[in-house]
Amino acid sequence: MNKIELLAPAGNLEKLKYAVMYGADAVFIGGKHFSLRSRASNFTLDEIKEGCEYAHEYGAKVHVTCNIVMHESDLGGVVSYLKSLEACGVDAIIASSPTILSLVKQHTKMEAHVSTQQSVINSEGVKFFEEFGVDRVVLGRECSMEDIKKIRAKSKIDIEAFIHGGMCSSVSGRCMLSNVMTNRDANRGGCAQSCRWDYRVFVDGNQISDDKSIFTMSGKDLCTISYISQMIEAGVTSLKIEGRMKSLHYIAAVVNAYRKAIDEYYALGSVPNMAQYQDDIYQAENRPASTGFLAGDVTIKEQLFSREYTTPTKDFFGIVQKYNKETKEVVVEVRNYFEPNSEVELFSRFSGRTKIKIGKIFDMRGNELECANKPMTLVKFTTEIECFQYDIIR
């Protein structure tokens, strides 16, 4: 049995490298054309080429999203753009438009993957695209685990399922709230996430909502790490984490937790450290999560009707650049404010989570600092705990 693929999001080149570094088998990115998430730092062709070279060096693949809803004005330049992506080393194109899917197969040797924007949630839908000639179908988030098992059993092509990230309050890819309320087209990359806004609710002109608990209409985020074993046993090809606009810290922590859970299952036939991996994910989240539709139709427990919630998201403030075992000195690239004499957590893809104490902080000239408050500069301090390049401090 081929090992299941862990597919991670990457909103820019740095995030792509961290996703691969922290355990992704493949990453999905957006280019400057035909991509949703128009507000993400989408990749130029040069960046895509560099990303492909980096990923391939470590045995990972790169998928590029071309999944906007195509208008007549979008038809020009599709083939030349696809050929440019192929020349960069891209492995697969993710698209919802049958036009783009067909052009990928006609004019390139890249794989064609049906985007979740098509909302395929049954085996006949998969069969249709199988006969159309695609290589993979990304199932809609509205499938239960039982649905996924049945669809996989009846399908000959690859099946990809979402396991983590944001949930759409409508059927995935079919929401028009953003278009109506802000004139920003959700299906062309401009979603304003209207379902997550704060609302007051009225009936017949009378407000029925409480101003102390502002109403929203979104679903809780998806977190299905507890279903890893079932996904593998069902024969799912790829597990997809959503979040191209999420932070580097989020990508590193979430990808690494799923990586460890997957590897543990293949090694032991179970995941005895599941509680630890769930907590690792919890430390990087900023919204409540649920298992979505995997257990069946959602209930009020899977919805998020109030902003009155707290999560223990850690403040990510530094990336380890190097560590001297003899002097115990660590050099850190500053990302956010932190102070001397602080107890913090080191998050490492090698050693997991470790508490460390920061004493005095110095700049690279040896001057003592009252605080580290200049992003992208280097500072140093000593710690007895061994650190590795690209470890995260939070």
Side-chain angles (χ1 to χ4, degrees):
M1 181 172 62
N2 292 328
K3 196 170 186 179
I4 202 164
E5 177 186 83
L6 179 60
L7 177 59
N12 58 37
L13 192 56
E14 182 182 41
K15 293 175 184 178
L16 180 152
K17 293 178 179 180
Y18 267 78
V20 172
M21 211 182 301
Y22 274 79
D25 299 305
V27 294
F28 67 97
I29 65 176
K32 294 292 186 182
H33 306 285
F34 311 111
S35 174
L36 292 180
R37 292 292 181 265
S38 61
R39 290 178 294 148
S41 300
N42 290 325
F43 289 63
T44 64
L45 288 174
D46 286 342
E47 289 170 333
I48 291 174
K49 183 178 180 181
E50 183 179 345
C52 288
E53 290 172 350
Y54 182 88
H56 293 164
E57 182 181 351
Y58 293 94
K61 295 182 178 180
V62 176
H63 305 176
V64 172
T65 59
C66 294
N67 54 358
I68 64 168
V69 173
M70 295 282 284
H71 289 200
E72 185 66 23
S73 59
D74 296 319
L75 292 176
V78 178
V79 173
S80 61
Y81 182 62
L82 291 174
K83 288 184 175 180
S84 296
L85 294 176
E86 184 178 33
C88 290
V90 172
D91 299 283
I93 299 297
I94 307 168
S96 59
S97 167
T99 302
I100 293 181
L101 293 167
S102 178
L103 293 174
V104 171
K105 300 306 292 183
Q106 289 177 41
H107 297 280
T108 80
K109 294 182 180 179
M110 295 182 293
E111 290 190 359
H113 297 179
V114 178
S115 169
T116 190
Q117 299 295 116
Q118 272 288 354
S119 303
V120 179
I121 54 175
N122 61 70
S123 58
E124 286 297 317
V126 174
K127 183 179 179 181
F128 172 84
F129 282 107
E130 183 181 308
E131 294 172 352
F132 189 82
V134 304
D135 302 280
R136 178 183 295 187
V137 170
V138 186
L139 297 179
R141 296 172 180 85
E142 297 75 28
C143 289
S144 68
M145 191 64 238
E146 289 306 308
D147 290 335
I148 293 172
K149 290 177 182 178
K150 292 176 182 177
I151 292 169
R152 173 66 277 178
K154 296 178 181 179
S155 305
K156 296 178 182 178
I157 58 175
D158 289 353
I159 295 297
E160 182 174 304
F162 272 89
I163 54 168
H164 199 92
M167 292 287 281
C168 188
S169 65
S170 180
V171 177
S172 297
R174 307 298 175 93
C175 183
M176 298 294 287
L177 281 176
S178 178
N179 304 54
V180 172
M181 301 173 74
T182 70
N183 200 32
R184 284 168 50 177
D185 192 339
N187 293 302
R188 293 173 65 79
C191 183
Q193 299 191 355
S194 306
C195 62
R196 295 183 180 179
W197 293 0
D198 296 335
Y199 292 92
R200 293 182 174 85
V201 183
F202 293 80
V203 174
D204 297 328
N206 298 313
Q207 183 174 332
I208 64 169
S209 58
D210 183 353
D211 279 345
K212 294 181 180 179
S213 181
I214 299 298
F215 177 79
T216 68
M217 61 179 91
S218 65
K220 291 180 180 178
D221 284 359
L222 187 67
C223 178
T224 63
I225 192 168
S226 60
Y227 281 81
I228 285 289
S229 59
Q230 292 189 55
M231 290 283 189
I232 294 172
E233 290 163 7
V236 172
T237 310
S238 180
L239 300 178
K240 188 170 196 170
I241 298 169
E242 186 272 340
R244 277 189 281 157
M245 296 180 69
K246 292 283 193 174
S247 70
L248 183 152
H249 172 221
Y250 170 94
I251 290 171
V254 172
V255 168
N256 196 244
Y258 278 95
R259 173 79 277 148
K260 289 178 179 177
I262 291 169
D263 290 348
E264 193 165 273
Y265 176 83
Y266 279 101
L268 304 175
S270 63
V271 189
N273 291 308
M274 179 62 71
Q276 176 188 326
Y277 304 142
Q278 288 174 321
D279 192 57
D280 286 344
I281 289 172
Y282 192 48
Q283 300 302 327
E285 289 285 8
N286 59 2
R287 284 166 50 86
S290 77
T291 56
F293 286 85
L294 284 191
D297 284 345
V298 297
T299 68
I300 193 170
K301 293 180 180 179
E302 286 75 44
Q303 301 299 304
L304 191 60
F305 294 124
S306 168
R307 287 294 179 91
E308 289 187 340
Y309 60 81
T310 58
T311 56
T313 300
K314 300 271 179 97
D315 292 324
F316 154 54
F317 65 77
I319 299 174
V320 173
Q321 297 301 304
K322 58 183 178 180
Y323 179 75
N324 187 316
K325 291 184 179 180
E326 294 181 0
T327 65
K328 311 298 183 183
E329 186 176 78
V330 58
V331 176
V332 173
E333 182 181 81
V334 177
R335 291 302 178 95
N336 283 297
Y337 177 94
F338 66 100
E339 297 178 343
N341 303 312
S342 302
E343 186 177 69
V344 298
E345 187 171 81
L346 177 75
F347 175 68
S348 172
R349 63 199 189 280
F350 300 116
S351 56
R353 292 156 51 185
T354 312
K355 295 282 174 111
I356 64 172
K357 181 68 180 290
I358 294 176
K360 295 179 179 180
I361 303 172
F362 301 89
D363 65 19
M364 297 308 292
R365 294 180 178 179
N367 300 310
E368 187 173 350
L369 302 175
E370 293 183 1
C371 64
N373 61 357
K374 296 180 180 179
M376 309 309 291
T377 59
L378 298 178
V379 299
K380 55 188 179 181
F381 53 85
T382 58
T383 174
E384 293 294 324
I385 304 299
E386 183 177 5
C387 305
F388 300 91
Q389 188 176 24
Y390 306 121
D391 283 355
I392 286 173
I393 302 180
R394 60 192 187 186

